[in-house]
Amino acid sequence: MQVFKVYFKIIKANMGQMFIYLIVFLSISLLYSLSSTTKTEESFSQTKADVAFINLDEDTSLLTGFKKYLSKNANFIDIENKPEKLQDALFFRDVDYIVTVPKGFTKDFLLGEPIELQKTVVPNSTTRMYVDMAINKYFNTARVYVNNTPAITVENLVKEVSKGASLETSVQLKSFGVKKQNNGFAVASFNYLAYALFSVLILGVSSISMVFNNKNLNRRNLCSPLKNRSYNLQLIMGNLVFALATYGVMAGFGFILNRDHMMSYNGLLLCINALVFTVAALSISYLVGLLIKNRNAQSAIANVLALGFSFISGVFVPQEFLSDKAIAIASFTPTYWYVKANNIIGTLSNFSFDNLLPIFTYMLIELGFAIAIFSVALVVSKQNRITNS
């Protein structure tokens, strides 16, 4: 196993370059994990709006009761009753809603006169609806008592309205059927894996190829008692072990960060897809290693291929945002089909054959790339042996 041992001595000597890409992947995954906080809502809670309450009428019992009732739906903000102050408060979102009680409101309301509160709201505000509903509920209930109980006092009116308007309904959220998991982070993490895995494999395998394809070293190996079959077998074993170890470290880190979502069929499919992509990336790395002649071009080619494939295939930019031309070009790379499969896996909740068929089809396409590129690499390898012999 001399060749196998030398293989990993060379890998160890070049670990510094590969470690950079590993750190980049782990950092991106960690940052994405910390920034993605997924909340599962189990109950409904109403959001309070910031409201400025401007009373141009007297402090009557009706308005006092109304303000007390409205406080359940609003946080009152004290703002001076000047147009420029109120406009600034809305502009800077200090308040969402300004309700103004016109002069003589209580008297006209109790007499049944048509009179309304004045309101100014932030455009397209969603919290305004809660305030609108609260105002309408309170005064519509009060209008019913005023119209049907003429002798009712203001104090009793406020008491009865507050009692009726304060009735609340308990809301509990229920989910039916299969509960969908939020696999966004897991999918993103495994998509980023494509860039780091590709870079590390190209650097590692090309470093091995440049050493063993050296003309003088190759001629010495041909003269050695080591059989050519054993020599090639040990190289193949070294490539496979290196690729699987790289895959295991990256997939394992993604598993640790997102353990709950990875312990599912979705997580299993993501791991399988990443393993298939590793085979395709290894074949490309082997071909690149045969074509690279010096170390100056090694890092450049690794960056161009890994970054280029990642940008046009949907690793860094979602595929739905890519142009048709970019998609057409990306379809000739295994990275595109790898990301496409991951995106479908992330949304999967029903694991029927019809739903799994597109995923397995994309995996087969990745394997097709691996076989085709490896075949080309064998031809190049044979040509190199003839040239160096």
Side-chain angles (χ1 to χ4, degrees), residues 183-215:
N183 298 306
F185 165 66
V187 171
S189 179
F190 272 79
N191 283 348
Y192 292 139
L193 178 145
Y195 165 66
L197 181 69
F198 220 149
S199 301
V200 171
L201 289 183
I202 290 176
L203 290 173
V205 175
S206 62
S207 297
I208 299 298
S209 297
M210 282 190 292
V211 171
F212 284 100
N213 288 332
N214 180 275
K215 182 181 291 188

PDB file of all heavy atoms in Angstrom, residues 183-215:
ATOM      1  N   ASN A 183     -37.405  23.258   5.598  1.00  0.00           N
ATOM      2  CA  ASN A 183     -36.094  22.712   5.285  1.00  0.00           C
ATOM      3  C   ASN A 183     -35.205  23.724   4.582  1.00  0.00           C
ATOM      4  O   ASN A 183     -34.245  23.347   3.914  1.00  0.00           O
ATOM      5  CB  ASN A 183     -36.247  21.461   4.400  1.00  0.00           C
ATOM      6  CG  ASN A 183     -37.021  20.359   5.096  1.00  0.00           C
ATOM      7  OD1 ASN A 183     -36.682  19.949   6.193  1.00  0.00           O
ATOM      8  ND2 ASN A 183     -38.089  19.890   4.465  1.00  0.00           N
ATOM      9  N   GLY A 184     -35.539  25.011   4.717  1.00  0.00           N
ATOM     10  CA  GLY A 184     -34.803  26.047   3.998  1.00  0.00           C
ATOM     11  C   GLY A 184     -33.328  26.057   4.326  1.00  0.00           C
ATOM     12  O   GLY A 184     -32.489  26.125   3.428  1.00  0.00           O
ATOM     13  N   PHE A 185     -32.990  25.978   5.634  1.00  0.00           N
ATOM     14  CA  PHE A 185     -31.575  26.016   5.995  1.00  0.00           C
ATOM     15  C   PHE A 185     -30.850  24.767   5.522  1.00  0.00           C
ATOM     16  O   PHE A 185     -29.714  24.839   5.025  1.00  0.00           O
ATOM     17  CB  PHE A 185     -31.413  26.168   7.502  1.00  0.00           C
ATOM     18  CG  PHE A 185     -30.016  25.854   7.969  1.00  0.00           C
ATOM     19  CD1 PHE A 185     -28.959  26.660   7.582  1.00  0.00           C
ATOM     20  CD2 PHE A 185     -29.763  24.742   8.750  1.00  0.00           C
ATOM     21  CE1 PHE A 185     -27.669  26.362   7.980  1.00  0.00           C
ATOM     22  CE2 PHE A 185     -28.485  24.441   9.153  1.00  0.00           C
ATOM     23  CZ  PHE A 185     -27.434  25.251   8.768  1.00  0.00           C
ATOM     24  N   ALA A 186     -31.466  23.607   5.680  1.00  0.00           N
ATOM     25  CA  ALA A 186     -30.825  22.359   5.260  1.00  0.00           C
ATOM     26  C   ALA A 186     -30.518  22.384   3.768  1.00  0.00           C
ATOM     27  O   ALA A 186     -29.430  21.995   3.332  1.00  0.00           O
ATOM     28  CB  ALA A 186     -31.723  21.170   5.603  1.00  0.00           C
ATOM     29  N   VAL A 187     -31.480  22.850   2.968  1.00  0.00           N
ATOM     30  CA  VAL A 187     -31.277  22.922   1.518  1.00  0.00           C
ATOM     31  C   VAL A 187     -30.166  23.913   1.185  1.00  0.00           C
ATOM     32  O   VAL A 187     -29.281  23.634   0.371  1.00  0.00           O
ATOM     33  CB  VAL A 187     -32.589  23.320   0.804  1.00  0.00           C
ATOM     34  CG1 VAL A 187     -32.347  23.603  -0.664  1.00  0.00           C
ATOM     35  CG2 VAL A 187     -33.630  22.214   0.965  1.00  0.00           C
ATOM     36  N   ALA A 188     -30.202  25.093   1.813  1.00  0.00           N
ATOM     37  CA  ALA A 188     -29.173  26.104   1.555  1.00  0.00           C
ATOM     38  C   ALA A 188     -27.795  25.590   1.944  1.00  0.00           C
ATOM     39  O   ALA A 188     -26.811  25.799   1.229  1.00  0.00           O
ATOM     40  CB  ALA A 188     -29.501  27.392   2.307  1.00  0.00           C
ATOM     41  N   SER A 189     -27.716  24.908   3.077  1.00  0.00           N
ATOM     42  CA  SER A 189     -26.442  24.376   3.545  1.00  0.00           C
ATOM     43  C   SER A 189     -25.881  23.356   2.563  1.00  0.00           C
ATOM     44  O   SER A 189     -24.689  23.381   2.240  1.00  0.00           O
ATOM     45  CB  SER A 189     -26.616  23.744   4.924  1.00  0.00           C
ATOM     46  OG  SER A 189     -25.411  23.199   5.398  1.00  0.00           O
ATOM     47  N   PHE A 190     -26.726  22.468   2.068  1.00  0.00           N
ATOM     48  CA  PHE A 190     -26.257  21.455   1.121  1.00  0.00           C
ATOM     49  C   PHE A 190     -25.994  22.064  -0.258  1.00  0.00           C
ATOM     50  O   PHE A 190     -25.174  21.534  -1.016  1.00  0.00           O
ATOM     51  CB  PHE A 190     -27.264  20.310   1.026  1.00  0.00           C
ATOM     52  CG  PHE A 190     -27.025  19.241   2.057  1.00  0.00           C
ATOM     53  CD1 PHE A 190     -27.435  19.412   3.360  1.00  0.00           C
ATOM     54  CD2 PHE A 190     -26.366  18.072   1.727  1.00  0.00           C
ATOM     55  CE1 PHE A 190     -27.201  18.446   4.326  1.00  0.00           C
ATOM     56  CE2 PHE A 190     -26.121  17.087   2.674  1.00  0.00           C
ATOM     57  CZ  PHE A 190     -26.540  17.274   3.988  1.00  0.00           C
ATOM     58  N   ASN A 191     -26.665  23.148  -0.606  1.00  0.00           N
ATOM     59  CA  ASN A 191     -26.335  23.845  -1.850  1.00  0.00           C
ATOM     60  C   ASN A 191     -24.941  24.468  -1.759  1.00  0.00           C
ATOM     61  O   ASN A 191     -24.146  24.377  -2.708  1.00  0.00           O
ATOM     62  CB  ASN A 191     -27.372  24.922  -2.151  1.00  0.00           C
ATOM     63  CG  ASN A 191     -28.662  24.350  -2.695  1.00  0.00           C
ATOM     64  OD1 ASN A 191     -28.734  23.176  -3.065  1.00  0.00           O
ATOM     65  ND2 ASN A 191     -29.699  25.163  -2.752  1.00  0.00           N
ATOM     66  N   TYR A 192     -24.623  25.103  -0.625  1.00  0.00           N
ATOM     67  CA  TYR A 192     -23.288  25.682  -0.440  1.00  0.00           C
ATOM     68  C   TYR A 192     -22.217  24.596  -0.443  1.00  0.00           C
ATOM     69  O   TYR A 192     -21.066  24.852  -0.800  1.00  0.00           O
ATOM     70  CB  TYR A 192     -23.229  26.455   0.884  1.00  0.00           C
ATOM     71  CG  TYR A 192     -24.061  27.703   0.916  1.00  0.00           C
ATOM     72  CD1 TYR A 192     -24.795  28.040   2.053  1.00  0.00           C
ATOM     73  CD2 TYR A 192     -24.143  28.547  -0.186  1.00  0.00           C
ATOM     74  CE1 TYR A 192     -25.574  29.186   2.094  1.00  0.00           C
ATOM     75  CE2 TYR A 192     -24.920  29.689  -0.149  1.00  0.00           C
ATOM     76  CZ  TYR A 192     -25.627  30.005   0.984  1.00  0.00           C
ATOM     77  OH  TYR A 192     -26.404  31.135   1.016  1.00  0.00           O
ATOM     78  N   LEU A 193     -22.595  23.398  -0.025  1.00  0.00           N
ATOM     79  CA  LEU A 193     -21.652  22.284  -0.017  1.00  0.00           C
ATOM     80  C   LEU A 193     -21.051  22.056  -1.396  1.00  0.00           C
ATOM     81  O   LEU A 193     -19.885  21.655  -1.512  1.00  0.00           O
ATOM     82  CB  LEU A 193     -22.364  21.032   0.496  1.00  0.00           C
ATOM     83  CG  LEU A 193     -21.589  19.719   0.563  1.00  0.00           C
ATOM     84  CD1 LEU A 193     -22.053  18.913   1.783  1.00  0.00           C
ATOM     85  CD2 LEU A 193     -21.788  18.868  -0.692  1.00  0.00           C
ATOM     86  N   ALA A 194     -21.817  22.315  -2.455  1.00  0.00           N
ATOM     87  CA  ALA A 194     -21.332  22.073  -3.815  1.00  0.00           C
ATOM     88  C   ALA A 194     -20.075  22.881  -4.105  1.00  0.00           C
ATOM     89  O   ALA A 194     -19.119  22.373  -4.707  1.00  0.00           O
ATOM     90  CB  ALA A 194     -22.430  22.412  -4.829  1.00  0.00           C
ATOM     91  N   TYR A 195     -20.062  24.142  -3.686  1.00  0.00           N
ATOM     92  CA  TYR A 195     -18.899  25.004  -3.947  1.00  0.00           C
ATOM     93  C   TYR A 195     -17.670  24.525  -3.192  1.00  0.00           C
ATOM     94  O   TYR A 195     -16.592  24.337  -3.775  1.00  0.00           O
ATOM     95  CB  TYR A 195     -19.228  26.447  -3.557  1.00  0.00           C
ATOM     96  CG  TYR A 195     -18.017  27.341  -3.442  1.00  0.00           C
ATOM     97  CD1 TYR A 195     -17.258  27.661  -4.565  1.00  0.00           C
ATOM     98  CD2 TYR A 195     -17.617  27.841  -2.204  1.00  0.00           C
ATOM     99  CE1 TYR A 195     -16.133  28.461  -4.454  1.00  0.00           C
ATOM    100  CE2 TYR A 195     -16.497  28.641  -2.086  1.00  0.00           C
ATOM    101  CZ  TYR A 195     -15.764  28.957  -3.208  1.00  0.00           C
ATOM    102  OH  TYR A 195     -14.650  29.744  -3.104  1.00  0.00           O
ATOM    103  N   ALA A 196     -17.814  24.314  -1.885  1.00  0.00           N
ATOM    104  CA  ALA A 196     -16.670  23.918  -1.068  1.00  0.00           C
ATOM    105  C   ALA A 196     -16.159  22.535  -1.449  1.00  0.00           C
ATOM    106  O   ALA A 196     -14.946  22.308  -1.549  1.00  0.00           O
ATOM    107  CB  ALA A 196     -17.054  23.955   0.403  1.00  0.00           C
ATOM    108  N   LEU A 197     -17.074  21.597  -1.670  1.00  0.00           N
ATOM    109  CA  LEU A 197     -16.690  20.234  -2.021  1.00  0.00           C
ATOM    110  C   LEU A 197     -15.935  20.208  -3.339  1.00  0.00           C
ATOM    111  O   LEU A 197     -14.895  19.547  -3.475  1.00  0.00           O
ATOM    112  CB  LEU A 197     -17.935  19.358  -2.101  1.00  0.00           C
ATOM    113  CG  LEU A 197     -17.710  17.884  -2.433  1.00  0.00           C
ATOM    114  CD1 LEU A 197     -17.028  17.183  -1.269  1.00  0.00           C
ATOM    115  CD2 LEU A 197     -19.020  17.185  -2.761  1.00  0.00           C
ATOM    116  N   PHE A 198     -16.446  20.936  -4.323  1.00  0.00           N
ATOM    117  CA  PHE A 198     -15.813  21.010  -5.629  1.00  0.00           C
ATOM    118  C   PHE A 198     -14.386  21.563  -5.508  1.00  0.00           C
ATOM    119  O   PHE A 198     -13.430  21.016  -6.083  1.00  0.00           O
ATOM    120  CB  PHE A 198     -16.636  21.905  -6.561  1.00  0.00           C
ATOM    121  CG  PHE A 198     -16.726  21.395  -7.960  1.00  0.00           C
ATOM    122  CD1 PHE A 198     -17.843  21.653  -8.728  1.00  0.00           C
ATOM    123  CD2 PHE A 198     -15.698  20.668  -8.525  1.00  0.00           C
ATOM    124  CE1 PHE A 198     -17.938  21.195 -10.027  1.00  0.00           C
ATOM    125  CE2 PHE A 198     -15.777  20.203  -9.818  1.00  0.00           C
ATOM    126  CZ  PHE A 198     -16.900  20.461 -10.574  1.00  0.00           C
ATOM    127  N   SER A 199     -14.239  22.656  -4.754  1.00  0.00           N
ATOM    128  CA  SER A 199     -12.936  23.299  -4.610  1.00  0.00           C
ATOM    129  C   SER A 199     -11.928  22.370  -3.937  1.00  0.00           C
ATOM    130  O   SER A 199     -10.787  22.222  -4.390  1.00  0.00           O
ATOM    131  CB  SER A 199     -13.078  24.592  -3.802  1.00  0.00           C
ATOM    132  OG  SER A 199     -13.960  25.492  -4.430  1.00  0.00           O
ATOM    133  N   VAL A 200     -12.344  21.730  -2.844  1.00  0.00           N
ATOM    134  CA  VAL A 200     -11.442  20.853  -2.097  1.00  0.00           C
ATOM    135  C   VAL A 200     -11.030  19.653  -2.945  1.00  0.00           C
ATOM    136  O   VAL A 200      -9.842  19.268  -2.964  1.00  0.00           O
ATOM    137  CB  VAL A 200     -12.111  20.397  -0.784  1.00  0.00           C
ATOM    138  CG1 VAL A 200     -11.279  19.311  -0.103  1.00  0.00           C
ATOM    139  CG2 VAL A 200     -12.295  21.576   0.154  1.00  0.00           C
ATOM    140  N   LEU A 201     -11.978  19.054  -3.662  1.00  0.00           N
ATOM    141  CA  LEU A 201     -11.648  17.885  -4.485  1.00  0.00           C
ATOM    142  C   LEU A 201     -10.702  18.239  -5.623  1.00  0.00           C
ATOM    143  O   LEU A 201      -9.766  17.491  -5.922  1.00  0.00           O
ATOM    144  CB  LEU A 201     -12.929  17.250  -5.031  1.00  0.00           C
ATOM    145  CG  LEU A 201     -13.810  16.516  -4.017  1.00  0.00           C
ATOM    146  CD1 LEU A 201     -15.009  15.882  -4.700  1.00  0.00           C
ATOM    147  CD2 LEU A 201     -13.011  15.444  -3.273  1.00  0.00           C
ATOM    148  N   ILE A 202     -10.947  19.379  -6.266  1.00  0.00           N
ATOM    149  CA  ILE A 202     -10.058  19.784  -7.363  1.00  0.00           C
ATOM    150  C   ILE A 202      -8.640  20.008  -6.848  1.00  0.00           C
ATOM    151  O   ILE A 202      -7.654  19.543  -7.440  1.00  0.00           O
ATOM    152  CB  ILE A 202     -10.591  21.054  -8.061  1.00  0.00           C
ATOM    153  CG1 ILE A 202     -11.857  20.731  -8.846  1.00  0.00           C
ATOM    154  CG2 ILE A 202      -9.538  21.637  -9.006  1.00  0.00           C
ATOM    155  CD1 ILE A 202     -12.504  21.942  -9.487  1.00  0.00           C
ATOM    156  N   LEU A 203      -8.516  20.711  -5.724  1.00  0.00           N
ATOM    157  CA  LEU A 203      -7.188  20.975  -5.167  1.00  0.00           C
ATOM    158  C   LEU A 203      -6.501  19.685  -4.730  1.00  0.00           C
ATOM    159  O   LEU A 203      -5.308  19.488  -4.990  1.00  0.00           O
ATOM    160  CB  LEU A 203      -7.307  21.939  -3.990  1.00  0.00           C
ATOM    161  CG  LEU A 203      -7.682  23.382  -4.321  1.00  0.00           C
ATOM    162  CD1 LEU A 203      -7.921  24.181  -3.043  1.00  0.00           C
ATOM    163  CD2 LEU A 203      -6.591  24.052  -5.143  1.00  0.00           C
ATOM    164  N   GLY A 204      -7.247  18.806  -4.065  1.00  0.00           N
ATOM    165  CA  GLY A 204      -6.649  17.576  -3.576  1.00  0.00           C
ATOM    166  C   GLY A 204      -6.263  16.618  -4.680  1.00  0.00           C
ATOM    167  O   GLY A 204      -5.114  16.147  -4.744  1.00  0.00           O
ATOM    168  N   VAL A 205      -7.200  16.320  -5.570  1.00  0.00           N
ATOM    169  CA  VAL A 205      -6.945  15.344  -6.632  1.00  0.00           C
ATOM    170  C   VAL A 205      -5.912  15.864  -7.620  1.00  0.00           C
ATOM    171  O   VAL A 205      -5.054  15.105  -8.103  1.00  0.00           O
ATOM    172  CB  VAL A 205      -8.263  14.982  -7.347  1.00  0.00           C
ATOM    173  CG1 VAL A 205      -7.998  14.055  -8.532  1.00  0.00           C
ATOM    174  CG2 VAL A 205      -9.227  14.323  -6.374  1.00  0.00           C
ATOM    175  N   SER A 206      -5.960  17.156  -7.944  1.00  0.00           N
ATOM    176  CA  SER A 206      -4.976  17.708  -8.879  1.00  0.00           C
ATOM    177  C   SER A 206      -3.572  17.693  -8.279  1.00  0.00           C
ATOM    178  O   SER A 206      -2.585  17.507  -8.993  1.00  0.00           O
ATOM    179  CB  SER A 206      -5.361  19.127  -9.283  1.00  0.00           C
ATOM    180  OG  SER A 206      -5.384  19.996  -8.167  1.00  0.00           O
ATOM    181  N   SER A 207      -3.464  17.890  -6.963  1.00  0.00           N
ATOM    182  CA  SER A 207      -2.151  17.806  -6.302  1.00  0.00           C
ATOM    183  C   SER A 207      -1.575  16.402  -6.442  1.00  0.00           C
ATOM    184  O   SER A 207      -0.373  16.229  -6.698  1.00  0.00           O
ATOM    185  CB  SER A 207      -2.281  18.166  -4.821  1.00  0.00           C
ATOM    186  OG  SER A 207      -2.704  19.506  -4.662  1.00  0.00           O
ATOM    187  N   ILE A 208      -2.409  15.400  -6.288  1.00  0.00           N
ATOM    188  CA  ILE A 208      -1.976  14.014  -6.446  1.00  0.00           C
ATOM    189  C   ILE A 208      -1.552  13.748  -7.890  1.00  0.00           C
ATOM    190  O   ILE A 208      -0.497  13.150  -8.157  1.00  0.00           O
ATOM    191  CB  ILE A 208      -3.108  13.049  -6.047  1.00  0.00           C
ATOM    192  CG1 ILE A 208      -3.497  13.254  -4.581  1.00  0.00           C
ATOM    193  CG2 ILE A 208      -2.706  11.606  -6.312  1.00  0.00           C
ATOM    194  CD1 ILE A 208      -2.409  12.987  -3.593  1.00  0.00           C
ATOM    195  N   SER A 209      -2.376  14.203  -8.842  1.00  0.00           N
ATOM    196  CA  SER A 209      -2.100  13.944 -10.253  1.00  0.00           C
ATOM    197  C   SER A 209      -0.798  14.586 -10.700  1.00  0.00           C
ATOM    198  O   SER A 209      -0.022  13.988 -11.457  1.00  0.00           O
ATOM    199  CB  SER A 209      -3.256  14.463 -11.110  1.00  0.00           C
ATOM    200  OG  SER A 209      -4.447  13.779 -10.811  1.00  0.00           O
ATOM    201  N   MET A 210      -0.546  15.819 -10.234  1.00  0.00           N
ATOM    202  CA  MET A 210       0.680  16.501 -10.638  1.00  0.00           C
ATOM    203  C   MET A 210       1.921  15.779 -10.130  1.00  0.00           C
ATOM    204  O   MET A 210       2.969  15.784 -10.776  1.00  0.00           O
ATOM    205  CB  MET A 210       0.659  17.949 -10.149  1.00  0.00           C
ATOM    206  CG  MET A 210      -0.188  18.869 -10.990  1.00  0.00           C
ATOM    207  SD  MET A 210       0.020  20.612 -10.560  1.00  0.00           S
ATOM    208  CE  MET A 210      -0.702  20.655  -8.933  1.00  0.00           C
ATOM    209  N   VAL A 211       1.804  15.147  -8.959  1.00  0.00           N
ATOM    210  CA  VAL A 211       2.947  14.409  -8.413  1.00  0.00           C
ATOM    211  C   VAL A 211       3.152  13.104  -9.168  1.00  0.00           C
ATOM    212  O   VAL A 211       4.252  12.808  -9.656  1.00  0.00           O
ATOM    213  CB  VAL A 211       2.752  14.137  -6.912  1.00  0.00           C
ATOM    214  CG1 VAL A 211       3.837  13.189  -6.392  1.00  0.00           C
ATOM    215  CG2 VAL A 211       2.780  15.437  -6.138  1.00  0.00           C
ATOM    216  N   PHE A 212       2.107  12.307  -9.284  1.00  0.00           N
ATOM    217  CA  PHE A 212       2.248  10.976  -9.881  1.00  0.00           C
ATOM    218  C   PHE A 212       2.368  11.008 -11.401  1.00  0.00           C
ATOM    219  O   PHE A 212       2.810  10.025 -12.000  1.00  0.00           O
ATOM    220  CB  PHE A 212       1.072  10.087  -9.468  1.00  0.00           C
ATOM    221  CG  PHE A 212       1.166   9.581  -8.061  1.00  0.00           C
ATOM    222  CD1 PHE A 212       0.455  10.175  -7.035  1.00  0.00           C
ATOM    223  CD2 PHE A 212       1.987   8.502  -7.759  1.00  0.00           C
ATOM    224  CE1 PHE A 212       0.548   9.712  -5.739  1.00  0.00           C
ATOM    225  CE2 PHE A 212       2.083   8.025  -6.465  1.00  0.00           C
ATOM    226  CZ  PHE A 212       1.365   8.633  -5.439  1.00  0.00           C
ATOM    227  N   ASN A 213       1.973  12.116 -12.029  1.00  0.00           N
ATOM    228  CA  ASN A 213       2.109  12.222 -13.485  1.00  0.00           C
ATOM    229  C   ASN A 213       3.408  12.904 -13.901  1.00  0.00           C
ATOM    230  O   ASN A 213       3.624  13.164 -15.085  1.00  0.00           O
ATOM    231  CB  ASN A 213       0.922  12.994 -14.074  1.00  0.00           C
ATOM    232  CG  ASN A 213      -0.359  12.182 -14.032  1.00  0.00           C
ATOM    233  OD1 ASN A 213      -0.332  10.959 -14.064  1.00  0.00           O
ATOM    234  ND2 ASN A 213      -1.488  12.866 -13.954  1.00  0.00           N
ATOM    235  N   ASN A 214       4.248  13.214 -12.908  1.00  0.00           N
ATOM    236  CA  ASN A 214       5.567  13.744 -13.239  1.00  0.00           C
ATOM    237  C   ASN A 214       6.320  12.728 -14.100  1.00  0.00           C
ATOM    238  O   ASN A 214       6.360  11.538 -13.774  1.00  0.00           O
ATOM    239  CB  ASN A 214       6.333  14.042 -11.950  1.00  0.00           C
ATOM    240  CG  ASN A 214       7.707  14.588 -12.214  1.00  0.00           C
ATOM    241  OD1 ASN A 214       8.657  13.824 -12.415  1.00  0.00           O
ATOM    242  ND2 ASN A 214       7.819  15.919 -12.195  1.00  0.00           N
ATOM    243  N   LYS A 215       6.900  13.200 -15.197  1.00  0.00           N
ATOM    244  CA  LYS A 215       7.509  12.281 -16.170  1.00  0.00           C
ATOM    245  C   LYS A 215       8.578  11.400 -15.534  1.00  0.00           C
ATOM    246  O   LYS A 215       8.580  10.168 -15.724  1.00  0.00           O
ATOM    247  CB  LYS A 215       8.104  13.079 -17.318  1.00  0.00           C
ATOM    248  CG  LYS A 215       8.718  12.202 -18.417  1.00  0.00           C
ATOM    249  CD  LYS A 215       9.321  13.040 -19.527  1.00  0.00           C
ATOM    250  CE  LYS A 215       8.238  13.744 -20.318  1.00  0.00           C
ATOM    251  NZ  LYS A 215       8.808  14.418 -21.530  1.00  0.00           N
TER     252      LYS A 215
END
